[in-house]
Amino acid sequence: MPRILPEIVPDSRRRARYRRASLITVVLINLGIAVHIEFFGWVKPDGMSYVADGFIFAINVGVVHYGWRAHDGFLVRPARPVRLVRPLRFLRRGGGGAAHGRGPAARVTSGPVIAGRWPALRPVSRLMPGPMGRRWLAEAQSLLAEADAGQRRAAARSYLRSAPRLILIMWLAELSRRARRHLR
Amino acid sequence: MAPRLTVQVLLVLQALLREPGRELYGLELTEETGLLPGTAYPILLRLENQGWVTSRWEDVDPRVEKRPARRYYRLTASGALQASAALAGARRPRSTALRGLAGEGGMA
């Protein structure tokens, strides 16, 4: 019987980008504070330092609260299926959303991908040639989302176990395809 | 070029041949064959590359269905013919061998 997934958390790409930027900002601010304390010791408290401390504290609380509510898996592994937000732009490949691996036509009309609790699948799919990796990931996520709880772990493990061989086969096929195209 | 006909490949072909026009998605296929998806996927990919099988994404809105789209597989017309031949060929040697063994038993 298909597993009914909870409602997908609605979000826009822009909001996700802002959230990432703010999380990175907070990390950098805190790193700066840690480095300052390490090298120069505690700042002697005065009026301005309390303002700065308050500002930093408010940013920290705000970002943690917002990040926790959004729960996008950036820092916390999602406990339920949520919309996928990729943390780093340079890791992106092609379009996203439910069209992941379904070609450019699907990308225009489809909604967001439903991500499950299989974070290892995504990096593995990136080792495969572009469209093939996207298709493999989309199929794996689709199957795992519908599999019974008992089967899911074994299925995910089998996907991961077969991945190295599949990566090799896919790259060999891709290289031979490229070579043929080059020779023509 | 025909794919290498391992037991797993034959199981996949058998499941797809049960109702040649019917489309099966990954989970159905793994349930019918008893194979793990990590085993079935490369087989389907290979069969598709060789033109025996064709596949398509289900055209649904995941938000409405509350599940991701499925990828459906079915045998092509030529694939169904080749698969039937392959399955028949795979059955024959076993029955021949069994007959041979029975014959040997009878002689003794």
Side-chain angles (χ1 to χ4, degrees):
Chain A
M1 186 172 150
R3 186 169 65 106
I4 305 299
L5 298 172
E7 203 175 38
I8 302 159
V9 176
D11 204 350
S12 71
R13 281 186 171 210
R14 194 191 296 168
R15 280 178 65 196
R17 216 177 300 144
Y18 288 158
R19 192 163 56 239
R20 277 199 296 276
S22 56
L23 281 168
I24 289 165
T25 309
V26 163
V27 169
L28 289 177
I29 288 172
N30 287 303
L31 267 176
I33 293 167
V35 168
H36 188 275
I37 289 168
E38 181 65 29
F39 288 102
F40 304 105
W42 286 96
V43 181
K44 195 180 166 191
D46 58 23
M48 281 313 286
S49 73
Y50 283 125
V51 172
D53 288 349
F55 178 69
I56 290 163
F57 183 74
I59 287 181
N60 274 293
V61 169
V63 170
V64 169
H65 173 70
Y66 186 48
W68 181 258
R69 269 180 53 202
H71 207 250
D72 70 344
F74 184 87
L75 294 174
V76 184
R77 194 169 156 179
R80 63 196 162 108
V82 293
R83 180 184 180 275
L84 268 189
V85 176
R86 293 176 207 170
L88 297 172
R89 187 170 257 281
F90 68 84
L91 284 175
R92 284 185 186 175
R93 185 200 276 155
H100 199 63
R102 293 168 56 191
R107 251 172 239 145
V108 179
T109 51
S110 301
V113 160
I114 298 169
R117 297 168 212 170
W118 314 283
L121 292 176
R122 182 161 283 272
V124 169
S125 79
R126 290 187 202 288
L127 299 174
M128 297 170 182
M132 291 183 190
R134 287 195 291 273
R135 181 181 150 183
W136 177 82
L137 179 65
E139 282 205 60
Q141 285 182 334
S142 163
L143 187 139
L144 292 170
E146 286 194 72
D148 290 336
Q151 302 173 325
R152 214 172 297 137
R153 187 179 285 250
R157 210 177 296 141
S158 98
Y159 269 119
L160 291 173
R161 213 177 292 145
S162 69
R165 202 168 140 249
L166 207 54
I167 290 167
L168 189 71
I169 291 168
M170 284 176 170
W171 272 112
L172 286 175
E174 180 68 18
L175 289 175
S176 70
R177 195 171 19 245
R178 281 183 197 178
R180 273 201 304 274
R181 205 186 309 150
H182 195 71
L183 284 173
R184 248 184 254 148
Chain B
M1 197 179 83
R4 204 157 54 92
L5 295 169
T6 59
V7 176
Q8 289 91 338
V9 174
L10 292 173
L11 283 170
V12 170
L13 290 175
Q14 204 170 29
L16 289 167
L17 260 178
R18 217 158 279 156
E19 289 172 66
R22 190 179 147 216
E23 292 180 305
L24 292 174
Y25 62 97
L27 189 62
E28 262 179 331
L29 207 64
T30 54
E31 279 168 359
E32 289 206 18
T33 56
L35 296 173
L36 283 167
T39 311
Y41 185 80
I43 292 171
L44 289 167
L45 207 64
R46 216 179 315 143
L47 291 173
E48 197 176 350
N49 287 340
Q50 278 152 358
W52 288 35
V53 164
T54 178
S55 68
R56 66 167 182 93
W57 278 109
E58 185 188 27
D59 193 19
V60 294
D61 186 346
R63 279 169 293 197
V64 175
E65 296 290 324
K66 300 267 198 297
R67 62 166 173 78
R70 296 165 178 166
R71 190 155 182 112
Y72 281 103
Y73 293 88
R74 73 175 168 78
L75 284 166
T76 58
S78 65
L81 287 173
Q82 284 168 303
S84 317
L87 280 172
R91 276 188 208 113
R92 212 173 301 127
R94 209 181 308 153
S95 52
T96 314
L98 284 172
R99 265 202 303 275
L101 278 175
E104 278 170 30
M107 295 268 287

